Amino acid sequence: MDKTAQTNKNTMEYYQELNEKLELEKEGLELEKEELEAKLKWYEEQFRLLQQQKFGSSSEKTNSDQLSLFNEVEDTSDSNHEEPTVETITYKRKKQKGQRKEQLDNLPTETVEYRLPAEEQVCSCCAGELHEMSTQVRKELKVIPAQVKVMEHVQYVYSCRHCEQHEIQTPIQTAKMPAPVFPGSLASPSAMAYTMSQKYVEGMPLYRQEKQFERFGVFIPRQTLANWVIYGATTWLTLIYKEMHTALLELDAIHADETVVQVLSEPGRKATSNSYMWLYRSGHTDVPIILYEYQQTRASKHPRRFLQGYQGYLTVDGYPGYNGIKNVVLIGCWAHARRKFTEALQSLPESSTTTAVKAKEGLDFCNQLFDIERDLKSVSPQERYEQRLERSQPVLDAFSAWLKQQTPRVLPKSKLGKAVTYCRKQWDRLEGFLKDGRLEIDNNCAERSIKPFVIGRKAWLFSNTAKGATSSAIVYSIVETAKENGLNPFHYLSYLFERLPNINTTDREQLAQLLPWSTTLPQECRVPTKSK
């Protein structure tokens, strides 16, 4: 081979190698471009979703009728709206009812009568004596603010004068007096109940209660109020809490959830560390039981310990901390699955029509299941079980096939991809609600029950000590269970603090009569029913 041919061959090999190198670089750049575009798309999704969550409306959080906090009075005021509880009734001879049914029967009534003085009961025409022809009645609501007074308990001691004078020993008898709820303290059952109710029901922190008491003329530092709460919770309310815990573990279906709480003074932990408030509650077919438990971590050992001995269904979200609990069948939450498709739809740009259609399809499958559940809301558990197999099972089968089709077509890190992945990984649990008509399709009842704690946390922000957080868990358990059983938390707490120090607390039968669902509770503990 001559020199020129060899040179041409070398040149061709060089350009061929260069071309292959450029092709490899091009493929690398294209892959890098795809990765960057995917990342950019993901960031755009997060940005749009954040904008939606911050400024847009959300059917899961609010409704179209939600009002501004500051414009509530102006927005709700309507001069044409009829007053439902205020009416004027004219009586002629016989007492006649007004056109609207009385709606204030459950409130005590104070009557003020206005009569003419005797000297004015004279006819302006003939100077004859006037008689009472009829009356006009105006009803209005009178609000009596809280007031503080001193309750002085005087216990009389008796002895026999004859024995005092003639016998060596004199028998002494003392009148019975209720035991104090907090020995050596100014706290009465009502004061302790009021402090707890204001903090855990009305969301008023102790420092604000301290100022409120000052306006009543009573100077009680917040540290003292905190002592009342902790003592009342750990000494008395924990007895009711344990009985509620035992009753919860005897059920066949319960729900669980958890949320963060900050505790400042925990040994070996930073003040900024996240601790957790766990929640366990009964379902809609059982008596309402709501239990909070404070723990330092979100580890799976906590639900395993709390649910030790429980055998049944446990409805939860996708958190893996509930995995591996013995004798427990985990049921998934369709509200979480639907929420992920909603977020995928909200995070898409207007130009993304194809992906929007796919996200809408996934959302429609979820909505079909919830529509069926609404139709079955008032039926018996057995009929709900049968109807679910007939109506919900075909929807689940179609949805499962749709998910398998979408898996290779969507980006795994996109919102739609995460929604599809979540449903496929959770599928065995998500279709678990078909197993029993008593089961619920979602975990919304647990989320609703944990919300009062989340809202209260915004007011008081954190707990100072783990003991305080544990006390808060106990009090929240009592008041939230009381509310769901139709009780007035303040009156119920007052009743507990009056009764518990004066009964045998080792007698479970006596404690059972004090549980929030007990039929023996006095009527004053119950919220008055609204007149129809």
Side-chain angles (χ1 to χ4, degrees):
M1 182 182 295
D2 58 11
K3 204 170 195 182
T4 303
Q6 183 64 38
T7 302
N8 291 337
K9 181 180 179 181
N10 292 340
T11 303
M12 290 178 63
E13 290 178 351
Y14 169 76
Y15 282 109
Q16 186 175 1
E17 291 177 0
L18 181 62
N19 187 52
E20 291 176 355
K21 183 178 179 181
L22 290 175
E23 286 293 332
L24 290 174
E25 290 181 357
K26 179 183 177 182
E27 291 178 3
L29 290 173
E30 287 178 350
L31 290 174
E32 185 178 353
K33 177 186 174 184
E34 289 179 1
E35 290 179 0
L36 291 174
E37 286 178 346
K39 287 183 179 179
L40 178 61
K41 185 176 180 181
W42 184 84
Y43 283 120
E44 287 176 344
E45 284 184 345
Q46 297 300 313
F47 175 75
R48 284 189 293 269
L49 183 60
L50 181 61
Q51 293 292 96
Q52 168 67 25
Q53 292 173 344
K54 188 173 183 179
F55 302 109
S57 61
S58 171
S59 60
E60 293 181 346
K61 293 184 177 180
T62 61
N63 56 63
S64 59
D65 297 325
Q66 184 174 2
L67 304 171
S68 167
L69 175 64
F70 300 102
N71 296 329
E72 182 180 6
V73 175
E74 292 82 355
D75 290 344
T76 57
S77 177
D78 184 358
S79 59
N80 297 321
H81 182 72
E82 187 178 22
E83 281 281 352
T85 59
V86 180
E87 58 182 313
T88 299
I89 306 174
T90 301
Y91 297 86
K92 294 184 178 179
R93 295 182 183 176
K94 290 187 177 181
K95 190 175 182 180
Q96 299 177 349
K97 291 185 178 180
Q99 296 179 355
R100 290 167 293 180
K101 183 173 175 59
E102 181 59 57
Q103 297 184 6
L104 305 176
D105 293 341
N106 53 14
L107 297 178
T109 301
E110 176 184 341
T111 302
V112 182
E113 296 181 340
Y114 303 91
R115 287 187 169 88
L116 284 174
E119 62 272 13
E120 295 182 14
Q121 295 183 17
V122 179
C123 179
S124 60
C125 178
C126 66
E129 183 179 356
L130 300 180
H131 71 93
E132 294 179 356
M133 179 187 69
S134 64
T135 61
Q136 292 181 343
V137 179
R138 183 184 81 238
K139 292 190 176 183
E140 58 189 20
L141 293 175
K142 180 180 180 181
V143 178
I144 304 174
Q147 54 181 316
V148 180
K149 64 180 178 181
V150 176
M151 291 293 293
E152 190 174 59
H153 297 269
V154 180
Q155 186 178 28
Y156 285 85
V157 182
Y158 299 85
S159 68
C160 174
R161 292 192 182 278
H162 178 271
C163 292
E164 287 177 348
Q165 297 175 1
H166 300 94
E167 302 296 335
I168 298 176
Q169 293 182 343
T170 302
I172 302 297
Q173 294 189 33
T174 305
K176 291 184 179 180
M177 183 174 67
V181 66
F182 193 168
S185 168
L186 288 174
S188 66
S190 62
M192 187 174 285
Y194 181 79
T195 301
M196 290 183 178
S197 179
Q198 288 294 100
K199 177 176 172 63
Y200 298 103
V201 180
E202 309 301 337
M204 182 179 291
L206 295 182
Y207 76 90
R208 289 173 59 188
Q209 292 192 51
E210 177 184 9
K211 297 300 180 182
Q212 185 186 51
F213 275 114
E214 287 182 8
R215 291 189 287 273
F216 292 152
V218 184
F219 300 93
I220 304 177
R222 69 195 72 173
Q223 291 80 4
T224 299
L225 298 177
N227 291 340
W228 292 3
V229 172
I230 292 176
Y231 184 89
T234 56
T235 304
W236 304 119
L237 297 186
T238 187
L239 301 172
I240 303 298
Y241 181 93
K242 291 177 180 178
E243 293 297 314
M244 290 165 54
H245 186 196
T246 301
L248 183 72
L249 297 183
E250 293 173 353
L251 301 179
D252 295 324
I254 61 178
H255 297 248
D257 200 2
E258 72 288 330
T259 188
V260 296
V261 61
Q262 188 178 358
V263 179
L264 299 184
S265 302
E266 284 187 295
R269 304 189 76 201
K270 296 181 179 179
T272 55
S273 300
N274 278 338
S275 299
Y276 286 85
M277 190 67 76
W278 296 75
L279 176 132
Y280 308 87
R281 66 152 298 152
S282 58
H284 69 287
T285 59
D286 295 304
V287 63
I289 304 176
I290 302 172
L291 295 178
Y292 292 80
E293 187 193 36
Y294 166 74
Q295 292 294 348
Q296 286 187 351
T297 68
R298 205 185 180 195
S300 59
K301 63 181 180 181
H302 302 308
R304 283 203 301 267
R305 182 196 53 77
F306 190 90
L307 298 174
Q308 187 174 2
Y310 172 68
Q311 298 181 10
Y313 300 104
L314 178 64
T315 302
V316 294
D317 55 23
Y319 176 54
Y322 298 102
N323 297 346
I325 303 177
K326 292 183 179 179
N327 303 316
V328 168
V329 178
L330 295 179
I331 306 299
C333 174
W334 275 99
H336 279 76
R338 180 174 64 176
R339 190 175 304 155
K340 292 186 181 299
F341 283 102
T342 301
E343 291 177 353
L345 201 58
Q346 292 173 344
S347 64
L348 294 174
E350 296 181 359
S351 59
S352 182
T353 55
T354 303
T355 308
V357 169
K358 295 301 179 183
K360 184 69 167 54
E361 288 177 356
L363 185 60
D364 287 342
F365 279 114
C366 299
N367 287 336
Q368 288 181 51
L369 295 173
F370 280 94
D371 290 341
I372 296 172
E373 290 301 308
R374 276 190 287 272
D375 294 341
L376 304 179
K377 186 175 182 181
S378 58
V379 303
S380 66
Q382 180 60 31
E383 185 177 353
R384 184 180 298 112
Y385 169 75
E386 296 171 357
Q387 287 290 319
R388 281 173 172 173
L389 292 180
E390 180 181 343
R391 299 175 59 185
S392 300
Q393 184 69 69
V395 177
L396 289 171
D397 293 341
F399 190 27
S400 177
W402 182 87
L403 290 171
K404 291 177 182 178
Q405 291 176 356
Q406 302 308 314
T407 300
R409 301 177 181 176
V410 296
L411 292 173
K413 292 185 178 181
S414 68
K415 281 293 179 180
L416 180 57
K418 289 182 177 180
V420 171
T421 302
Y422 176 86
C423 289
R424 294 204 64 183
K425 287 185 176 180
Q426 295 285 319
W427 190 254
D428 291 340
R429 298 179 186 178
L430 287 174
E431 62 178 0
F433 75 100
L434 298 177
K435 297 177 180 179
D436 197 309
R438 295 170 298 175
L439 297 175
E440 299 180 38
I441 194 173
D442 55 42
N443 200 32
N444 284 349
C445 64
E447 292 189 4
R448 286 192 298 269
S449 295
I450 209 168
K451 188 170 291 185
F453 173 82
V454 175
I455 294 174
R457 184 181 60 197
K458 293 180 180 179
W460 43 261
L461 301 180
F462 51 79
S463 293
N464 285 323
T465 64
K467 190 175 183 180
T470 300
S471 300
S472 295
I474 294 173
V475 180
Y476 266 116
S477 302
I478 303 299
V479 299
E480 290 303 317
T481 303
K483 285 161 60 177
E484 288 222 8
N485 281 275
L487 303 181
N488 181 307
F490 167 70
H491 292 304
Y492 177 57
L493 288 173
S494 298
Y495 181 71
L496 290 181
F497 292 139
E498 290 171 358
R499 296 282 297 134
L500 287 170
N502 295 284
I503 66 171
N504 179 11
T505 55
T506 61
D507 187 344
R508 295 193 62 187
E509 291 185 1
Q510 293 191 52
L511 290 176
Q513 296 179 358
L514 302 178
L515 295 176
W517 54 87
S518 172
T519 58
T520 62
L521 293 175
Q523 190 62 34
E524 57 264 24
C525 289
R526 306 186 186 280
V527 176
T529 56
K530 186 177 181 180
S531 301
K532 295 183 180 179

